Amino acid sequence: MKPTLPLLLMALLPTLALAQVPTADPTATRSATTVAPAPVVPPPQAARPQPQVLPSPQPAQPIRSTGPAQVAPTPMPKPADKVYDRNGRIVPGVRPAGPNRVFDSRTGRYYDSVPAGDGQQIKR
């Protein structure tokens, strides 16, 4: 490679870089006129549809009241299902997570289980 070629390329690089820089305002070639909005003309009265009055399906009667609103009793909470280990002991911190699945909150893992008595038994 001749030593003049790299020197020639180094001399042309600043010229090529300056060609990439915009020098004029990009909006200078756009027109400065603005378009006025069109005036709003209401449609003639004959063109407007008239509202239709439909007959009520029920006769107009006042709503009968039986007094203040009654508070619905809250349902009793269901006791937590018990989860047993394979030896039949209750495992603390484990709760049912779905059909045949239990969640151990201490380890953050899910285990397979089978129904056993009044709860679930972990399969291991």
Side-chain angles (χ1 to χ4, degrees):
M1 190 184 272
K2 297 182 180 180
T4 58
L5 184 61
L7 292 175
L8 180 63
L9 288 175
M10 291 176 67
L12 288 177
L13 280 178
T15 308
L16 292 174
L18 286 176
Q20 300 295 321
V21 178
T23 57
D25 185 20
T27 59
T29 58
R30 296 183 186 158
S31 68
T33 59
T34 58
V35 179
V40 177
V41 178
Q45 290 289 359
R48 289 186 183 169
Q50 297 296 325
Q52 297 178 356
V53 178
L54 299 176
S56 175
Q58 298 176 347
Q61 294 178 354
I63 298 173
R64 295 184 184 175
S65 173
T66 59
Q70 302 296 320
V71 177
T74 57
M76 292 294 293
K78 184 178 122 183
D81 290 333
K82 296 175 184 168
V83 178
Y84 302 97
D85 63 2
R86 62 182 167 176
N87 296 326
R89 294 177 296 201
I90 295 177
V91 182
V94 179
R95 58 192 163 133
N100 298 331
R101 299 285 285 174
V102 292
F103 175 70
D104 187 357
S105 61
R106 294 178 298 157
T107 62
R109 297 182 66 187
Y110 289 89
Y111 296 102
D112 293 328
S113 65
V114 293
D118 60 346
Q120 297 284 327
Q121 184 174 8
I122 297 175
K123 292 190 320 186
R124 290 192 192 201

